Amino acid sequence: MTIAHTLGALSVMAGALLAAQSAQAQDNTFINPDWANSAWYIGAGVGQSRATIDEPRLRASLAANGETVTGFSKDQRDTGYKLFVGRQLNQYVAVEAGYFDLGKFDFKSTTSGNGVLNGQAGFRGVNLDLLGQLPLSQRLSLLGRVGMHYTKTNTEFSGNRLLGSTNTHASERKLNAKLGLGLEYKFSEALALRGEVERYRLNDAVGNRGDADLYSVSLVYKLGRPASATPAYQPAPEVAPVVAMPAPVIEAKPAPAPVSEKVSFASEALFDFDQSTLKPQGKAALDQLLGQLTGMDLEVIVTVGHTDAVGPDAYNQKLSLRRAEAVKAYLVAQGVETSRVYTEGKGETQPVADNTSAAGRAKNRRVTVEVVGTRKVMR
């Protein structure tokens, strides 16, 4: 396979993956979580394999034995597949082990005097690769791999022109190098699609040495995605009541105590990743909050969405506002007057922790709900 063919194949893969990327909503930004950068993953791929059958050498061997080749056909393509497991060492490097089957490749030749020589070679083995990943965008990455493979080659010959050999079936096991280039598109933090071209250096069982290429499409799934926990409601302490001073002669009743309660929910507890639709456990948490407000004369409720600093500012601003609006919609659906609920989206502008750590970013991804009202004073 020439460099031009390699670049052409990668261009086709890039076009297909970029088309998939453009089909996503423009503001559906992917945020790579820290757990995905150290996760184990599994995958499977299938595609077309190609090998080069050394026709000049075979013709020369037949001619050296006094044969004149009258016909020669070859099949240098087959279906190949691979299964693999890997471990992310960080965002840019992974180690990957796998099993592969490149299929079978054959030739048929005829010679003068009704001579026939047919041959077939098949390749399968295991590999260990070092995989490099260079992000081109938040979802699309360039892949490069280098590794070793231990391959068993089975070679079979048939016909009445066996070139003096009585061994019609031979096998060979060899350790050789392999290289690969490709692209990876992440549908989510756990699921990705790869398109790759890999070259395997091979030995057959009769002394030939060459290359086989595998053009494949693979699905990759990362294991160990953490589950979101249902948030526990923890109301803020009530503001100390403000009591009017009694008149010199007339004893005044204490004024109702103004109350301001504020609670912060982790975004992952209310919403699925990169979404603004409330999860069932998120609704349950808001129900718990409403239950704490029984007996309060509501004046106003303010819902404010916040994000971490990963991703574009404009996207984070829109996402924080959509989540605040989703909380408002649910509160209104539970009977709160819509005119008393206000929303704000602060995006990444008001962090409460350091965005350089996973724990800090988790604290910054939040929705706060502040309730202002008065509680009845029991006498």
Side-chain angles (χ1 to χ4, degrees), residues 351-364:
V352 294
D354 190 349
N355 273 304
T356 61
S357 68
R361 290 192 294 273
K363 290 180 181 179
N364 291 332

Side-chain angles (χ1 to χ4, degrees), residues 301 328-329 331-332 335-342:
I301 297 179
K328 173 182 178 177
L331 296 177
V332 170
V336 179
E337 294 181 29
T338 185
S339 61
R340 296 187 181 277
V341 186
Y342 296 85

Side-chain angles (χ1 to χ4, degrees), residues 32-307:
N32 189 48
D34 286 353
W35 72 265
N37 295 329
S38 60
W40 287 91
Y41 62 86
I42 57 176
V46 65
Q48 185 178 86
S49 54
R50 297 181 182 180
T52 300
I53 294 175
D54 194 350
E55 181 179 346
R57 177 175 176 173
L58 290 167
R59 286 179 175 270
S61 296
L62 289 167
N65 284 269
E67 302 290 340
T68 300
V69 177
T70 58
F72 196 98
S73 64
K74 53 189 175 182
D75 184 358
Q76 302 182 115
R77 300 184 181 186
D78 201 359
T79 298
Y81 68 89
K82 59 180 181 176
L83 305 171
F84 52 91
V85 60
R87 173 70 185 272
Q88 286 289 149
L89 302 181
N90 54 51
Q91 185 178 359
Y92 305 102
V93 180
V95 175
E96 192 172 292
Y99 170 83
F100 62 88
D101 188 334
L102 299 180
K104 297 181 178 180
F105 312 94
D106 55 60
F107 72 89
K108 297 179 180 180
S109 63
T110 58
T111 67
S112 57
N114 296 321
V116 175
L117 175 64
N118 300 327
Q120 184 182 80
F123 306 94
R124 63 178 63 181
V126 294
N127 64 281
L128 181 64
D129 297 345
L130 187 66
L131 182 68
Q133 299 162 300
L134 177 64
L136 302 178
S137 69
Q138 289 181 313
R139 291 181 182 267
L140 187 64
S141 298
L142 177 67
L143 304 180
R145 68 170 69 236
V146 59
M148 303 296 293
H149 65 97
Y150 186 70
T151 300
K152 178 181 179 181
T153 304
N154 290 315
T155 305
E156 297 180 359
F157 293 99
S158 62
N160 55 15
R161 295 293 188 271
L162 298 177
L163 306 179
S165 174
T166 59
N167 186 10
T168 60
H169 180 87
S171 64
E172 179 84 1
R173 291 177 172 86
K174 284 287 186 180
L175 182 67
N176 277 303
K178 68 184 293 276
L179 300 169
L181 288 173
L183 293 164
E184 179 178 89
Y185 180 78
K186 297 178 178 66
F187 294 112
S188 69
E189 68 270 36
L191 183 64
L193 177 70
R194 286 181 185 172
E196 291 187 272
V197 179
E198 296 169 90
R199 168 159 289 185
Y200 297 76
R201 189 66 170 163
L202 297 170
N203 295 76
D204 67 14
V206 291
N208 293 317
R209 183 173 174 85
D211 300 311
D213 301 317
L214 177 63
Y215 301 79
S216 65
V217 175
S218 306
L219 282 176
V220 184
Y221 185 76
K222 289 186 176 178
L223 307 173
R225 177 178 178 177
S228 298
T230 302
Y233 171 70
Q234 295 181 343
E238 293 188 0
V239 177
V242 178
V243 181
M245 294 297 295
V249 178
I250 302 174
E251 180 180 354
K253 295 181 180 180
V259 174
S260 174
E261 295 188 359
K262 186 175 183 179
V263 62
S264 180
F265 299 97
S267 292
E268 288 84 351
L270 297 180
F271 305 96
D272 281 327
F273 174 77
D274 205 27
Q275 300 297 314
S276 57
T277 302
L278 280 167
K279 298 192 295 186
Q281 56 263 47
K283 295 177 180 179
L286 293 176
D287 288 340
Q288 188 177 4
L289 170 63
L290 290 173
Q292 297 291 328
L293 304 181
T294 302
M296 176 185 288
D297 292 330
L298 289 177
E299 294 181 9
V300 66
I301 297 179
V302 181
T303 67
V304 183
H306 302 267
T307 70

